[in-house]
Amino acid sequence: MAEVGHSDVVATVRGVLRDVLGISETRVAAFTDATELFGALPEFDSMAVAGVLTELEDRLGILIDDDDVDGEMLATFGALTRFAAARVSG
Amino acid sequence: MIDHYDWAGGREAMVRFPPAQPGSDAHQVVVLPALFEEHNRTRSFTVAICRGLAALGIGAMLPDLPGQNESQTATEQATLEHWRGAVSDLVVAQSSRHPVHIASIRGGAVIDGVDGSASVWRLAPLTGRAVLRDLERTALIGNKASQAADSVAGPVVLAGNSIGAALHAGLLGDVALPTPAAPVRTVRLEGDVGAADLRLPGAPMWRHSEPGNDETLAQLIAADIAVWIARCGG
């Protein structure tokens, strides 16, 4: 069950990045855990971070404390999904 | 067509979209736009919805709120009471000819509970506190990323929006959506898990960094508002 939950989170994070950053379905489908996001993806600027986090909250039914937001959890697709998954299961 | 409306505190501009068939303006809608940053990001989209309504024979009005857009009220002087009062006065004045319906986009829902409307239609509504939280988060993360402190005395400045102390307090205390006497319909986008009467396909452009539009979604929304208004009467 834990794996199923995680794959749902991964799909939701993909959907949020696609919808909020305006990245194509094809591009976002190719994202792996190692894909770099903040600082590497031109669409993912500081203005977009708030939108991504708030949309993740709305779609996953979680709350993200702004104090927990740092460069590390935004650095890669894998880091962001692990961060989101921890909030879902927590 | 640029028009205006009067409220207790003065006169504000309003864009009017007359129905495509002249004389068939029995149905009319006041469209309350999203607030602050989301207002800018959804401006074209909101106008596309108004045009869609007009094409369907429904007159649409897109008012400036006191302290927003072309208003002569200073931005930091605006309060939630001003906004609600202005919407109320507009609805009452327009109701003398035909019933007036309200359609609110996002944070516009904060002020859509005024008396006198025949119905209320909402797109992805959120409370004043949630509006404020989005702004604070944008400001906080923007500062964190750029390391540029932006502390300003007097009105609170959040992500470039000057918000007076009274409006800030009003938004902070606004923790539940209004419950108007008129019937309410809530529409959200697919993926949004909030309570909704209908979910439409589309991306939340109010979260995009740059202003954009989604003509297909705007037309779906205009069509849904038109059916809803016909059902509610007016």
Side-chain angles (χ1 to χ4, degrees):
Chain A
M1 286 300 287
E3 281 72 18
V4 174
H6 187 72
S7 70
D8 287 343
V9 172
V10 172
T12 302
V13 174
R14 262 189 232 283
V16 166
L17 293 176
R18 179 195 63 212
D19 291 343
V20 176
L21 305 182
I23 296 175
S24 74
E25 181 78 46
T26 318
R27 259 179 82 200
V28 88
F31 282 7
T32 68
D33 278 4
T35 302
E36 293 184 357
L37 299 180
F38 192 66
L41 211 58
E43 295 89 343
F44 202 8
D45 57 19
S46 58
M47 285 296 282
V49 170
V52 166
L53 296 180
T54 309
E55 195 67 17
L56 279 175
E57 288 184 329
D58 289 352
R59 296 195 191 184
L60 293 171
I62 59 175
L63 274 179
I64 298 171
D65 189 334
D66 288 336
D67 290 340
D68 295 340
V69 178
D70 56 27
E72 204 173 319
M73 54 81 69
L74 299 170
T76 63
F77 184 70
L80 184 59
T81 51
R82 278 193 298 279
F83 178 88
R87 297 299 176 288
V88 172
S89 58
Chain B
M1 163 173 107
I2 305 295
D3 199 352
H4 65 265
Y5 71 101
D6 293 307
W7 65 289
R11 172 170 284 194
E12 305 296 344
M14 163 170 90
V15 187
R16 195 185 273 279
F17 302 79
Q21 302 81 26
S24 68
D25 58 348
H27 297 296
Q28 47 183 352
V29 188
V30 169
V31 177
L32 300 177
L35 302 177
F36 307 118
E37 194 63 29
E38 292 194 351
H39 180 133
N40 297 328
R41 294 171 179 169
T42 56
R43 192 188 298 258
S44 307
F45 177 62
T46 304
V47 167
I49 293 171
C50 291
R51 291 209 174 100
L53 286 167
L56 293 168
I58 298 168
M61 290 165 269
L62 183 59
D64 275 4
L65 297 173
Q68 305 285 298
N69 272 353
E70 313 300 325
S71 176
Q72 294 189 1
T73 300
T75 303
E76 53 270 17
Q77 297 298 320
T79 67
L80 276 188
E81 288 69 32
H82 288 156
W83 290 356
R84 290 183 176 129
V87 174
S88 178
D89 289 351
L90 170 60
V91 167
V92 167
Q94 297 295 326
S95 297
S96 63
R97 294 192 307 148
H98 300 290
V100 175
H101 303 260
I102 290 179
S104 64
I105 315 286
R106 299 283 290 160
V110 173
I111 52 170
D112 72 8
V114 300
D115 290 337
S117 72
S119 76
V120 176
W121 185 101
R122 290 172 175 160
L123 177 65
L126 72 172
T127 63
R129 179 171 288 190
V131 168
L132 204 54
R133 181 157 187 270
D134 280 4
L135 277 180
E136 286 171 343
R137 168 170 273 170
T138 303
L140 183 74
I141 292 171
N143 289 344
K144 204 182 247 188
S146 64
Q147 296 297 314
D150 188 18
S151 65
V152 177
V156 188
V157 177
L158 291 172
N161 296 276
S162 181
I163 300 174
L167 179 56
H168 188 272
L171 291 170
L172 195 63
D174 186 73
V175 294
L177 293 172
T179 48
V184 177
R185 177 173 175 82
T186 301
V187 173
R188 294 182 185 275
L189 298 184
E190 288 174 357
D192 184 338
V193 295
D197 299 302
L198 173 71
R199 285 179 211 282
L200 293 174
M205 81 208 61
W206 46 85
R207 300 247 189 256
H208 291 174
S209 296
E210 300 295 330
N213 194 4
D214 184 338
E215 194 64 44
T216 306
L217 179 59
Q219 296 318 313
L220 287 174
I221 285 171
D224 189 66
I225 294 173
V227 171
W228 165 249
I229 285 175
R231 195 191 307 161
C232 291

